[in-house]
Amino acid sequence: MQKSLFALLILFSIAVTAYGQLKIEKPSLGTSNKAFAIVVDQDTYTHTEDAIRAYQKTVEGDGIPTYIIHGVFNRPDDIKKELIKLHKTKQSLEGAVFIGNIPIPMVYDFSANSMAIPSDRFYDDLHLNFEYVKQDAAQTNLHYYKLQESSPRNINPSFYSARIYYPTLKPSDSYEAITSYLLKVAGTRRDNVLDHVVSSTSRNYYNGCTAAWKDEPKAYKEYFPFLVKRTNSLQQLAFKTNNNASILNEMQRKEVDLFLIRSDSSPILQDPKIKQLHTYPLYIILDTQPAGAFDSTAYAARQYIFNPGHTIAVQANSRPATTDINFSGLLSYGIRWGHIHNLGLNLERHLFGDPTFHFANKDTEKLNEKLSQEDNPEYWRLLLKKDNPIYQTLALYKLSANNATLSEAVTPYFETSPYRTVRLQALNALSAYKNKDFTAAVSTGLSDEYELVAQQAAVYARMIGDTTLIPSLAHVWINDKSRLRVQQIIIAAFEVFDRNRVEKSLTKALSNSNRLHQETEIESVKNSYMQPSVLEISLEQIKDKTRPTEERIALVKLLAARNYHPGIDGILDIINDRQEPIELRIAFATALGTFSHSWKREAILLNFQTLLKSKISKELKIEIERTINRLN
Amino acid sequence: MKASHKLFLFVLVSCLSILNTVRAQEIISPTIEIADRSFAIITDRSTFEKCQKEILAYRDIVESELLPTLIVYHDWKSPEQLKKELQRLYETVKIEGVIFIGDIPIPMVLKAQHLTNVSTAIPSDRFYDDFGLTFDFLEQSKTNPQLFFYNLGISSPNRIRSTIYSARLKPATDGDTDKYQQINTYLNKAIQARLNKDSIDQVMSYVAYQPLSAWSSHSNFLEEQFPQILKTSTQFQNYKDDKQRTLQNETINQFRRRDLDIAFIRQYPLSNVASIYPNVTFTIFADDPIGNFSEGQYSAGQFTMGKGSTLTVLANTVQPTPHRHPTYLIGSLGMGLNIGQWSKLNNTLESHLFGDPTFAFSINSTDTLTRYVHEGGTKKLVEALSKSKSPEAQSFLLNQLYLHNYEGLSKLITQYYDNSNYATVRYTCIHLADRQEGETRSVLFAKGIKDTDESIRQEVINAISRIGDPIFIPALVDAYIENQHAEGILSAINMALYAFNKDLIKNIAEQRFMTANNFIDNVKAKESFYENQFKGIYLEIDKNIFDTKPASQRQGISDLRTIHYHPSITRYLEFVRNSKMPIDLRIAMLESLSCFGDSYRKQEIIAACKELMVDTRHSKRLRDEARRTLNNIN
């Protein structure tokens, strides 16, 4: 009821101003720096004009020429058109902020059959090509899009964007909230040193692994070199399932600059109580679900910026997604939050608040400038040589994301860097190459002294499935019982390999150990590997032509979801088999799309290339091309 | 003639002269020349006869690392007899340490409540290795003639500072294996260990219960102390039990590892030791009293002497005092110190080494400390400090400067505290500041209670409660406000505040909570603080002491050993003076007051004791006890 009423209201307001002109006010700052665009709907503009100007003045005071674009926007495309124009000018664009009621693009995920995700990547990633699907019938500010087949799949934003959005049934509330917020931003100094950090993560986030919790501050010390030397400068909240009281209390601390709340399921975060709260940390990274779902009027992230406290921005996801905080070090150097937010971006992650904001500038590399310029691999190569984990992390990301370096150049940073965050970034960078260097790094990484690297390596090991990884996995499984989370991932990872090999490796590792109950443990491994696994059975069943097609499709989905690499050859045989029903072959091709890091990826691609050259149906061809895209 | 030659000759002469005397101890001189230090193997005659070949072989292997080693055997009649011999050897041949093999009299120490956690007799070889301590003989046990009971001497120093290190090789007598056979097996194992020396690159730690953030801090300490274990995760297996899983069984597998250098164990119920076959080179059992060698069967003995290549164990003979830092300076083991040299720095009345104390791991640090172990020249130590890079070398050298009463220490620890990024170094500065009085201590405590590291904050808070000066109350209340997420610190503050006046705490809390900015509801936070703080048995101490029921009184007086309630010292002293009170209670009160050695009101206790000592209206027992208390706290 409320939803539709709200939609009606929006419709009404659109109707009133439908004939209004789109207006672009030019920056008052004369400089060749890249520009920033404030995009605001006409009604909000009319009611908050003074505050918007004050905000524009503040951003310009920080050296960014700032446009104000206001008008009536019926569709996301109306805005995108203008942004593209500005981006194409010589001055170009480094970022934009969407104030008020700006149409919300709902983007279907790149993989097939999923729900639409509210995503401003529609606006800020100009490389992606979208196709309009429809407007939401009930909530008319939602517009559905899907990616064109020809569009690139990886996200590579052209500039940063953020929202200052206060959805409400009463427009005057929204105007008031936005005015107060903008004046707050205008009144907040940008020379605040990032020297107080709070972090809260619930037990579940680490699967209850205390070693993971303990290792986390080691990374924080690399991210935040300017922390004051005092008890509370780096506050890691207790390892609980419910941190309600602590979160509320920490939100009151005026000296806190950054509050990281990740996968925290503390009930308070969803509680109405938080709505009346004044929050003081300048920047909050709120990785709780669905804090950033701005297609819903009650999205939680807004509570933190629209209150009289000091909070300037919140980063949150519009739908469940992983949050990578490995670039947080750049916050310490005074890089604009928008720039940092854009690194390793996905469809879901959004910034709420002013994206031009930053902490005190401590950077000797003029990174704000470098990040808004076209990527220059030479520069990132130079930056990588600086003995500084924050710079190296950024350089590794930039070089690998743009394919601007060989994996051989990244490997040494993984193998020898004393910085945990650099090793983590190097491992992630290597994952893009999907080659022997990556597999070797994963093998070493399983016993990295930094838990997060080991954990990530175990996840990758499962995705790769190369049998050469089995001995390392078995070694860590037997000899590194201190890390619960890694242990859990490894035990699950064993199922993606050939069982005979796993059994042999485990038996060997146990025999080489001097464990008290070695004999019984070996016996128990042998017993548990005597019976075939569910996945082995499933593989046999998908080959069985007497079974119903739907059942075989369900089974292949299971094999794919569980990364069962030994099944790949069998699945390919079925795709190649012209006697098989076409919908089965198509579904099997789709399933193989999940093996993007598999050691058999080349084999799949080779098989597909051959198949594409043969005579196959159009539908199968399209699906194979799509799968090739996902594998690349 | 060089001094060392003289020493060598002296030993020879004394040997020869001894041969003429029946029942005197036999001494076998080192086969290498004594330069600046030596080591002594002490054993009984029968053990020597049964294990002669192995003992000599052990001597040879110790000497192969240039530590001249004497063998002394005798049918020891009493601890005094042996101690006298040790003192003589120290004077003449500069023994740095000893190993007691076989049947060596066991000193059982009483009246040491201010040095330990228990009031029962403590088996302690500090009798032998701390030449500063004095003891008053009580009796030889009738049931076990090896046990000799002593009171800590009335005028004995009130702290442990071992002159030499000592270790025991005492078979656990289970009736099955011949005890001499056990010794021989062990000595062969010790010889073998020297042939396969390794650097410290594999360490493990186990703790059953510990607040997570405290565990995190302790882990960080070990990582700073042994930086080379940070290469891969398997090199530092760091176990902590929690609700989801217990790692006790995995700890047994760790004990069995053939490549593990050091295991650091807390709260581990060591049972069925015989089946473990441990192989760890050096294991520290930090808190369970498994080292009670006055008993025939004791786990530390079984652990060391059993099958498996385990070399040395550090364990306690009784439940130790909490809050100790059992691995203080342990990183020096990676820089050339042998196990005995390190353990001596950290000795308590109840801590003991079992097995070979002369074993040193291969050095794997750019800093080498070997030559500073016996260096008394503070100038050289300061110079070495300025050149040392690793945190643990810095800590060790600062500690040496303290031991040698370096007059510039205050300045140095302030400087190192302020500039070091290493928690272990800052901890050392605070630890040493605790032993200084006045300005340096106050300044460092004020900083230390706000340190980023939890162990450091804890150290300061515990020290503050021992001192009891109300000027520290604001710092404690602030610490409460700032440590909401450090469970271990909150409970330390809770205990510490019991030592202060409730109204004073309230006065300060009223004001501090109002200006706090980290509570959503300051009033509620304050009330919850009051509710937790102003309840429990430790608020009842005075009520109990001044009760009429002797049982309550006794309880209250005994609680004073845990909570030093400084505000009522005047009343406690009145209690002692009050001749209407039962004499046992008055003496018990004096015993408890002897734990107030760090109190800011110590002078009042001293004055009262001085007066009581000479006041003949009081019984001799009371006067003696007053003298003892005076000495203990002075």
Side-chain angles (χ1 to χ4, degrees):
Chain A
M1 172 66 193
Q2 212 178 23
K3 223 179 200 179
S4 56
L5 222 140
F6 176 68
L8 258 172
L9 259 164
I10 287 174
L11 207 67
F12 178 70
S13 65
I14 287 169
V16 172
T17 49
Y19 303 102
Q21 289 286 309
L22 185 98
K23 201 163 169 223
I24 301 181
E25 296 177 21
K26 293 215 162 135
S28 57
L29 183 70
T31 151
S32 61
N33 288 352
K34 282 198 175 183
F36 179 67
I38 300 171
V39 182
V40 53
D41 71 279
Q42 190 57 44
D43 285 341
T44 303
Y45 178 76
T46 312
H47 291 91
T48 64
E49 191 178 338
D50 289 349
I52 285 182
R53 289 201 191 287
Y55 174 56
Q56 177 195 33
K57 204 172 151 206
T58 302
V59 177
E60 294 202 325
D62 205 20
I64 320 180
T66 302
Y67 290 91
I68 301 174
I69 305 175
H70 56 94
V72 178
F73 309 111
N74 294 324
R75 277 194 186 184
D77 302 83
D78 300 346
I79 293 164
K80 189 167 182 174
K81 215 163 52 191
E82 299 306 322
L83 293 172
I84 291 173
K85 269 191 226 157
L86 287 183
H87 188 254
K88 278 189 179 156
T89 61
K90 191 164 170 253
Q91 187 174 34
S92 190
L93 206 56
E94 79 159 61
V97 67
F98 306 120
I99 302 181
N101 291 322
I102 302 297
I104 298 174
M106 300 293 290
V107 176
Y108 287 106
D109 192 5
F110 304 164
S111 56
N113 315 324
S114 58
M115 306 287 283
I117 296 166
S119 180
D120 286 339
R121 294 307 86 76
F122 174 86
Y123 295 119
D124 60 31
D125 190 337
L126 305 178
H127 311 85
L128 302 177
N129 303 316
F130 293 92
E131 207 174 299
Y132 192 74
V133 178
K134 62 170 184 190
Q135 185 170 19
D136 193 284
Q139 205 179 328
T140 53
N141 62 336
L142 305 187
H143 297 263
Y144 293 85
Y145 289 89
K146 67 175 185 186
L147 271 186
Q148 290 175 4
E149 284 303 331
S150 61
S151 170
R153 257 60 189 168
N154 57 321
I155 287 169
N156 182 15
S158 315
F159 49 86
Y160 57 77
S161 78
R163 289 218 173 223
I164 299 171
Y165 179 35
Y166 189 93
T168 170
L169 289 168
K170 245 176 91 190
S172 62
D173 284 357
S174 164
Y175 307 144
E176 199 183 310
I178 289 173
T179 301
S180 308
Y181 172 76
L182 291 174
L183 294 177
K184 167 161 88 176
V185 174
T188 306
R189 295 173 61 107
R190 299 184 174 217
D191 59 357
N192 194 312
V193 179
L194 173 44
D195 54 11
H196 283 87
V197 174
V198 180
S199 164
S200 175
T201 29
S202 69
R203 275 194 95 86
N204 310 341
Y205 178 72
Y206 302 97
N207 300 2
C209 179
T210 49
W213 185 88
K214 174 181 68 62
D215 270 13
E216 200 178 78
K218 294 177 178 176
Y220 292 160
K221 280 174 191 152
E222 292 177 13
Y223 296 144
F224 311 120
F226 308 114
L227 293 174
V228 292
K229 290 183 180 173
R230 275 198 57 160
T231 306
N232 276 354
S233 59
L234 176 58
Q235 181 82 283
Q236 190 188 15
L237 298 194
F239 195 51
K240 295 180 181 165
T241 43
N242 178 337
N243 261 328
N244 281 352
S246 307
I247 289 173
L248 287 175
N249 288 340
E250 294 297 320
M251 288 284 181
Q252 303 311 301
R253 286 177 58 202
K254 297 186 177 60
E255 68 274 22
V256 175
D257 303 299
L258 173 67
F259 197 160
L260 295 158
I261 303 181
R262 292 184 300 143
S263 293
D264 195 310
S265 48
S266 297
I268 191 68
L269 295 165
Q270 320 293 340
D271 194 279
K273 214 166 154 189
I274 209 114
K275 290 190 181 171
Q276 284 106 47
L277 201 65
H278 296 188
T279 60
Y280 292 89
L282 286 172
Y283 191 22
I284 301 173
I285 291 180
L286 190 62
D287 174 18
T288 64
Q289 286 136 21
F294 59 99
D295 55 325
S296 147
T297 52
Y299 77 104
R302 70 178 228 189
Q303 310 303 343
Y304 300 90
I305 59 171
F306 295 114
N307 70 58
H310 296 165
T311 305
I312 297 291
V314 174
Q315 179 186 289
N317 294 324
S318 62
R319 288 293 183 271
T322 53
T323 296
D324 181 0
I325 59 159
N326 211 32
F327 301 108
S328 303
L330 293 166
L331 292 169
S332 299
Y333 281 161
I335 312 307
R336 295 189 195 288
W337 297 350
H339 282 316
I340 303 167
H341 173 259
N342 264 10
L343 299 168
L345 194 59
N346 51 28
L347 276 182
E348 297 87 352
R349 197 202 305 164
H350 287 80
L351 195 57
F352 301 91
D354 172 26
T356 70
F357 207 87
H358 56 84
F359 292 108
N361 207 312
K362 297 266 190 181
D363 157 39
T364 51
E365 290 296 316
K366 296 191 173 160
L367 285 178
N368 274 317
E369 225 171 88
K370 297 290 188 330
L371 281 164
S372 58
Q373 285 161 3
E374 283 300 306
D375 279 323
N376 173 0
E378 274 317 304
Y379 173 73
W380 300 123
R381 259 177 228 126
L382 282 176
L383 191 69
L384 185 58
K385 296 212 171 78
K386 307 254 171 193
D387 181 20
N388 175 317
I390 298 172
Y391 291 150
Q392 289 180 352
T393 300
L394 175 63
L396 282 169
Y397 170 75
K398 282 291 184 183
L399 289 169
S400 68
N402 300 326
N403 269 326
T405 190
L406 296 171
S407 60
E408 286 91 333
V410 177
T411 302
Y413 288 89
F414 176 74
E415 286 176 348
T416 59
S417 176
Y419 303 116
R420 293 155 177 126
T421 56
V422 171
R423 293 200 303 275
L424 179 63
Q425 194 60 41
L427 180 64
N428 288 334
L430 285 169
S431 74
Y433 298 94
K434 307 175 180 182
N435 60 6
K436 291 273 171 231
D437 287 342
F438 175 47
T439 307
V442 166
S443 179
T444 318
L446 288 169
S447 47
D448 194 281
E449 63 82 31
Y450 178 36
E451 194 274 348
L452 192 55
V453 170
Q455 191 250 143
Q456 195 58 53
V459 169
Y460 284 137
R462 188 187 165 102
M463 289 163 68
I464 298 171
D466 189 331
T467 49
T468 59
L469 290 168
I470 301 174
S472 313
L473 288 164
H475 172 79
V476 173
W477 168 249
I478 306 287
N479 299 300
D480 193 3
K481 299 288 182 190
S482 57
R483 292 171 167 175
L484 181 59
R485 175 165 70 165
V486 174
Q487 291 275 308
Q488 286 169 348
I489 299 172
I490 287 180
I491 193 77
F494 283 138
E495 73 171 22
V496 310
F497 297 95
D498 176 87
R499 283 163 64 81
N500 283 330
R501 285 172 189 262
V502 174
E503 184 194 332
K504 275 198 194 111
S505 274
L506 282 176
T507 313
K508 192 172 166 199
L510 281 168
S511 314
N512 289 341
S513 80
N514 187 32
R515 294 169 66 83
L516 185 59
H517 301 298
Q518 193 179 18
E519 300 305 323
T520 34
E521 284 180 298
I522 290 174
E523 207 47 44
S524 128
V525 164
K526 284 188 171 154
N527 283 337
S528 67
Y529 281 87
M530 225 138 72
Q531 302 297 324
S533 73
V534 175
L535 297 180
E536 274 177 314
I537 297 167
S538 305
L539 179 61
E540 288 315 306
Q541 288 172 339
I542 62 163
K543 293 175 182 166
D544 178 1
K545 294 189 178 186
T546 64
R547 287 176 183 272
T549 303
E550 306 83 66
E551 190 192 334
R552 294 169 74 196
I553 290 175
L555 288 169
V556 84
K557 280 184 182 166
L558 174 79
L559 292 179
R562 305 265 288 265
N563 288 82
Y564 190 57
H565 305 269
I568 291 173
D569 292 341
I571 297 171
L572 282 173
D573 287 344
I574 292 165
I575 297 171
N576 294 340
D577 187 347
R578 289 168 189 282
Q579 309 302 318
E580 294 283 11
I582 188 71
E583 74 265 32
L584 184 96
R585 294 171 72 198
I586 290 173
F588 274 46
T590 311
L592 286 182
T594 54
F595 291 97
S596 60
H597 288 74
S598 174
W599 67 316
K600 294 195 169 166
R601 191 181 68 105
E602 295 290 344
I604 303 172
L605 289 172
L606 206 67
N607 189 302
F608 280 170
Q609 299 304 349
T610 316
L611 205 56
L612 283 177
K613 283 178 201 144
S614 69
K615 219 179 141 202
I616 54 170
S617 75
K618 196 181 163 206
E619 297 94 317
L620 182 60
K621 185 166 177 265
I622 288 174
E623 193 52 42
I624 284 177
E625 277 167 350
R626 191 178 283 158
T627 304
I628 289 174
N629 243 333
R630 287 169 64 201
L631 291 175
N632 275 327
Chain B
M1 194 188 269
K2 277 204 253 164
S4 55
H5 286 142
K6 274 186 203 161
L7 289 175
F8 189 56
L9 250 170
F10 171 83
V11 174
L12 275 175
V13 171
S14 70
C15 268
L16 291 170
S17 62
I18 286 160
L19 283 177
N20 296 326
T21 337
V22 189
R23 293 185 163 271
Q25 62 272 34
E26 308 282 347
I27 299 184
I28 299 173
S29 298
T31 66
I32 54 172
E33 202 173 291
I34 298 171
D36 58 344
R37 65 200 177 105
S38 65
F39 176 70
I41 299 168
I42 310 289
T43 185
D44 62 283
R45 188 175 293 273
S46 155
T47 300
F48 181 74
E49 280 161 7
K50 297 267 175 36
C51 310
Q52 185 167 358
K53 187 171 135 255
E54 278 73 14
I55 289 176
L56 289 171
Y58 171 65
R59 187 264 320 265
D60 291 346
I61 199 90
V62 176
E63 289 196 334
S64 73
E65 290 181 359
L66 306 177
L67 181 58
T69 301
L70 307 91
I71 301 168
V72 183
Y73 61 94
H74 184 56
D75 285 323
W76 305 101
K77 289 286 168 275
S78 69
E80 283 92 347
Q81 186 190 28
L82 172 52
K83 184 169 187 173
K84 207 181 273 172
E85 181 60 21
L86 295 176
Q87 282 171 315
R88 196 182 65 86
L89 292 174
Y90 179 73
E91 293 301 324
T92 54
V93 293
K94 293 275 170 239
I95 51 168
E96 66 162 44
V98 291
I99 184 168
F100 302 128
I101 302 181
D103 294 324
I104 305 294
I106 297 172
M108 304 290 290
V109 178
L110 284 153
K111 285 276 183 190
Q113 68 278 358
H114 57 296
L115 295 176
T116 180
N117 203 24
V118 296
S119 45
T120 52
I122 299 165
S124 179
D125 285 340
R126 292 305 88 77
F127 179 95
Y128 295 120
D129 64 30
D130 187 332
F131 299 164
L133 300 178
T134 63
F135 298 87
D136 298 330
F137 178 66
L138 294 171
E139 59 170 353
Q140 186 174 9
S141 165
K142 295 192 176 60
T143 49
N144 180 353
Q146 274 210 327
L147 308 186
F148 293 80
F149 288 83
Y150 295 86
N151 275 342
L152 193 63
I154 284 191
S155 25
S156 176
N158 61 2
R159 62 171 181 204
I160 306 288
R161 194 183 275 187
S162 295
T163 325
I164 57 174
Y165 58 80
S166 73
R168 287 244 171 201
L169 195 61
K170 180 177 177 292
T173 45
D174 56 2
D176 286 348
T177 325
D178 172 60
K179 64 180 177 180
Y180 303 112
Q181 185 54 48
Q182 283 190 53
I183 290 171
N184 285 339
T185 309
Y186 177 83
L187 290 173
N188 282 325
K189 174 163 102 172
I191 291 160
Q192 215 50 43
R194 293 299 168 111
L195 304 175
N196 310 313
K197 266 178 102 154
D198 182 19
S199 63
I200 304 170
D201 54 7
Q202 301 282 347
V203 171
M204 77 87 48
S205 158
Y206 169 87
V207 62
Y209 319 100
Q210 192 172 33
L212 207 49
S213 57
W215 177 63
S216 185
S217 163
H218 287 181
S219 306
N220 180 46
F221 270 48
L222 286 171
E223 288 174 7
E224 283 187 11
Q225 290 169 318
F226 300 114
Q228 42 313 311
I229 60 177
L230 282 175
K231 288 197 186 97
T232 63
S233 62
T234 47
Q235 287 176 276
F236 180 27
Q237 284 296 289
N238 189 1
Y239 294 174
K240 184 182 119 50
D241 283 351
D242 57 39
K243 277 180 212 150
Q244 283 165 359
R245 60 172 187 169
T246 151
L247 287 155
Q248 280 180 15
N249 291 337
E250 280 304 329
T251 302
I252 294 182
N253 289 323
Q254 291 290 317
F255 289 147
R256 292 170 57 85
R257 277 172 62 185
R258 296 196 181 89
D259 59 347
L260 190 58
D261 301 308
I262 297 179
F264 173 54
I265 309 294
R266 309 188 99 172
Q267 304 147 0
Y268 189 85
L270 196 65
S271 57
N272 200 8
V273 187
S275 70
I276 296 177
Y277 294 20
N279 293 314
V280 200
T281 307
F282 181 37
T283 309
I284 298 164
F285 289 95
D287 44 19
D288 292 297
I290 63 158
N292 185 357
F293 58 89
S294 68
E295 289 170 3
Q297 296 256 26
Y298 66 109
S299 298
Q302 292 169 304
F303 200 89
T304 325
M305 315 271 303
K307 290 175 184 152
S309 56
T310 274
L311 189 66
T312 310
V313 162
L314 177 70
N316 295 298
T317 52
V318 295
Q319 190 70 40
T321 334
H323 306 315
R324 277 194 64 242
H325 178 18
T327 44
Y328 180 54
L329 303 178
I330 197 173
S332 58
L333 288 178
M335 302 173 200
L337 266 71
N338 67 34
I339 292 173
Q341 288 167 343
W342 166 70
S343 72
K344 181 185 137 186
L345 299 169
N346 220 11
N347 268 349
T348 60
L349 204 57
E350 60 270 14
S351 69
H352 286 79
L353 283 178
F354 301 92
D356 183 7
T358 64
F359 182 86
F361 292 94
S362 310
I363 293 174
N364 57 356
S365 167
T366 47
D367 290 306
T368 303
L369 297 175
T370 327
R371 78 184 110 131
Y372 302 110
V373 176
H374 301 285
E375 177 60 62
T378 52
K379 205 175 149 198
K380 279 196 178 151
L381 290 169
V382 171
E383 198 189 312
L385 176 65
S386 70
K387 287 183 187 147
S388 63
K389 296 269 182 299
S390 61
E392 201 67 343
Q394 294 172 359
S395 287
F396 173 82
L397 290 165
L398 285 168
N399 195 71
Q400 287 297 100
L401 283 164
Y402 159 73
L403 292 176
H404 292 103
N405 304 314
Y406 174 56
E407 53 186 33
L409 188 68
S410 289
K411 209 175 134 199
L412 266 186
I413 56 178
T414 307
Q415 183 192 327
Y416 272 82
Y417 181 86
D418 287 343
N419 298 320
S420 184
N421 284 324
Y422 294 109
T424 49
V425 173
R426 296 199 307 276
Y427 176 91
T428 300
C429 295
I430 292 291
H431 183 72
L432 299 177
D434 189 14
R435 281 146 185 76
Q436 322 265 305
E437 282 179 16
E439 181 78 4
T440 308
R441 185 175 74 179
S442 312
V443 169
L444 283 181
F445 276 12
K447 293 175 184 169
I449 201 169
K450 292 180 184 303
D451 197 282
T452 51
D453 179 83
E454 182 164 334
S455 303
I456 294 173
R457 304 202 293 274
Q458 173 121 19
E459 179 84 0
V460 174
I461 290 161
N462 293 336
I464 283 177
S465 86
R466 281 188 276 106
I467 297 165
D469 191 333
I471 58 162
F472 289 120
I473 299 177
L476 285 175
V477 174
D478 287 349
Y480 174 86
I481 291 170
E482 288 180 356
N483 281 275
Q484 287 300 301
H485 316 296
E487 210 183 304
I489 297 292
L490 289 183
S491 75
I493 294 171
N494 176 248
M495 287 298 275
L497 282 173
Y498 282 128
F500 294 87
N501 178 285
K502 185 176 161 180
D503 294 328
L504 287 180
I505 298 172
K506 272 195 165 174
N507 282 345
I508 286 156
E510 284 297 326
Q511 158 210 344
R512 288 307 221 249
F513 272 87
M514 279 311 102
T515 51
N517 87 341
N518 55 339
F519 293 113
I520 185 115
D521 186 339
N522 287 357
V523 175
K524 216 167 134 190
K526 183 189 72 188
E527 278 163 4
S528 122
F529 165 66
Y530 286 167
E531 197 181 310
N532 283 323
Q533 188 62 46
F534 301 132
K535 71 168 185 203
I537 50 164
Y538 294 129
L539 270 192
E540 310 282 311
I541 291 181
D542 276 9
K543 195 174 149 244
N544 281 333
I545 292 175
F546 302 107
D547 198 296
T548 46
K549 288 195 286 291
S552 307
Q553 289 182 293
R554 200 167 290 281
Q555 181 61 50
I557 291 168
S558 132
D559 285 344
L560 277 182
R561 294 183 187 182
T562 314
I563 301 296
H564 305 165
Y565 191 64
H566 312 267
S568 297
I569 284 177
T570 317
R571 294 182 73 197
Y572 303 151
L573 292 171
E574 281 303 314
F575 187 104
V576 176
R577 288 192 195 96
N578 187 347
S579 51
K580 286 181 192 134
M581 287 292 170
I583 183 73
D584 283 353
L585 289 179
R586 293 163 70 200
I587 285 181
M589 179 60 93
L590 276 170
E591 283 174 350
S592 286
L593 284 172
S594 68
C595 301
F596 281 61
D598 292 319
S599 174
Y600 80 115
R601 296 180 65 185
K602 186 168 97 171
Q603 291 310 327
E604 293 169 54
I605 305 174
I606 290 172
C609 287
K610 280 184 176 161
E611 164 213 311
L612 286 161
M613 271 158 52
V614 293
D615 187 341
T616 46
R617 284 174 301 172
H618 301 300
S619 69
K620 176 157 189 312
R621 243 182 98 203
L622 190 91
R623 281 182 281 138
D624 279 354
E625 196 59 43
R627 185 188 304 278
R628 184 184 291 277
T629 301
L630 170 71
N631 187 63
N632 283 347
I633 68 169
N634 214 349

